[in-house]
Amino acid sequence: MDELTDAEKTMLDLERGWWKYPGAKESAIHEQLGMTATVYYRSLHHLIARPEAMAYDPLLVKRLHRQAVARRRQRSARRLGFQLDAQLD
């Protein structure tokens, strides 16, 4: 099993507690990781699919998976003309 890099651990740590940083989340992403929000979310999406991320922080990764599933369901429902009332975690 590959280990997470320091940058990947920082991403997960930031996602777990981004509200602790002053300002907007996008500012914290840029200051902590030096990347845009778009690159961050794309990288985070790939990162949470890895078993190493699950081993590092299982509660966070499970929550992010649930949120991703809920967003996919909402998008699918909108495309089909339905409105779902489910909240994202």
Side-chain angles (χ1 to χ4, degrees):
M1 183 161 70
D2 294 331
E3 292 293 318
L4 296 177
T5 66
D6 289 339
E8 291 168 333
K9 290 177 183 177
T10 300
M11 286 179 68
L12 293 172
D13 294 341
L14 177 66
E15 190 63 28
R16 183 184 326 106
W18 64 266
W19 57 86
K20 298 175 187 173
Y21 298 98
K25 184 176 182 180
E26 288 77 15
S27 297
I29 291 167
H30 183 69
E31 290 171 17
Q32 295 287 315
L33 298 164
M35 58 178 66
T36 65
T38 302
V39 171
Y40 171 80
Y41 287 114
R42 186 178 307 131
S43 300
L44 183 64
H45 174 77
H46 292 291
L47 177 58
I48 65 171
R50 294 180 48 203
E52 298 87 358
M54 181 69 81
Y56 182 75
D57 193 336
L59 294 176
L60 173 67
V61 172
K62 287 177 186 179
R63 178 173 55 86
L64 294 173
H65 278 289
R66 282 193 313 269
Q67 290 174 340
V69 167
R71 282 192 298 275
R72 279 194 299 270
R73 286 181 180 157
Q74 288 284 352
R75 282 192 303 269
S76 294
R78 278 195 304 269
R79 276 189 234 124
L80 295 172
F82 295 99
Q83 180 65 34
L84 298 179
D85 294 328
Q87 290 182 353
L88 297 178
D89 287 341

